């Protein structure tokens, strides 16, 4: 709903300042941060949604990785035309619906994957506990000097 979208955008705007406050409190103002979750936001439906706001704040989407595995697979199995949350096969597209993200602030993505457990071309339901597909990423975090008190925690 429009109200829920306004709330998601509000929350996205608060992430970076809150993280910075926590970083400062522990004496690690530049420590890299990984943010993962279902943002219910993607470019086609919300061009300036939560994902975009976080990107403007400096978070890099793991989808930007040079190596992608199943990068053409949607992260959620329902959509405007497909209401079955557990379809028999993954949905593939040149512009896949991605509402689940791995984002990094202070690093870069090396590999992005929509992890699928299939039997042939069909989902293996023994490994499917959600209507979303698991997103995995390999990240390289920036090196930062940390004070001894932070390392000892």
């Amino acid at each position: 709903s429009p109200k829920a979208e306004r709330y998601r955008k509000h929350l996205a705007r608060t992430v970076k300042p809150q993280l910075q406050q926590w970083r400062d409190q522990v004496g690690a103002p530049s420590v890299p941060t990984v943010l993962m979750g279902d943002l219910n936001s993607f470019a086609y439906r919300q061009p300036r949604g939560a994902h975009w706001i976080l990107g403007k704040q400096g978070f890099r989407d793991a989808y930007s990785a040079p190596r992608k595995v199943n990068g053409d697979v949607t992260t959620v199995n329902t959509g405007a035309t497909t209401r079955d949350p557990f379809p028999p096969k993954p949905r593939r597209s040149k512009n896949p619906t991605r509402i689940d993200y791995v984002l990094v602030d202070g690093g870069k993505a090396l590999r992005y994957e929509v992890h699928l457990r299939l039997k042939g071309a069909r989902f293996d339901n023994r490994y499917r506990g959600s209507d979303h597909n698991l997103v995995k990423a390999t990240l390289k975090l920036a090196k930062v000097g940390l004070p001894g008190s932070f390392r000892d925690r």
Side-chain angles (χ1 to χ4, degrees):
S1 70
K3 184 177 180 179
E5 179 60 14
R6 284 191 303 275
Y7 186 61
R8 281 192 291 273
K9 290 165 106 174
H10 167 74
L11 289 175
R13 284 190 291 273
T14 67
V15 168
K16 183 77 172 207
Q18 184 65 55
L19 282 173
Q20 195 58 54
Q21 182 181 353
W22 291 333
R23 289 170 174 165
D24 293 344
Q25 285 174 354
V26 299
S30 60
V31 69
T33 303
V34 178
L35 177 66
M36 300 172 278
D38 175 353
L39 301 180
N40 275 322
S41 178
F42 73 103
Y44 179 75
R45 189 176 66 197
Q46 294 95 357
R48 292 182 180 254
H51 69 286
W52 181 83
I53 291 167
L54 291 164
K56 288 303 231 180
Q57 292 178 349
F59 283 92
R60 295 185 69 173
D61 184 351
Y63 192 75
S64 67
R67 181 156 183 247
K68 290 183 185 65
V69 177
N70 296 318
D72 63 339
V73 174
T74 63
T75 68
V76 64
N77 292 315
T78 58
T81 59
T82 308
R83 290 289 175 203
D84 178 6
F86 295 97
K89 297 178 181 180
R91 290 182 30 221
R92 296 183 183 271
S93 169
K94 288 182 182 179
N95 296 306
T97 301
R98 295 184 319 105
I99 65 172
D100 304 282
Y101 293 86
V102 176
L103 304 166
V104 63
D105 175 27
K108 66 180 182 177
L110 303 176
R111 184 177 183 272
Y112 170 92
E113 178 180 356
V114 176
H115 182 76
L116 301 173
R117 294 296 293 259
L118 305 175
K119 280 183 165 181
R122 299 171 72 86
F123 281 112
D124 184 341
N125 285 324
R126 295 175 300 169
Y127 299 98
R128 188 157 66 155
S130 173
D131 59 336
H132 293 244
N133 299 314
L134 176 67
V135 175
K136 295 170 44 175
T138 302
L139 308 171
K140 181 176 182 175
L141 301 180
K143 279 189 175 182
V144 295
L146 297 175
S149 62
F150 184 80
R151 284 193 307 266
D152 297 337
R153 292 178 191 217

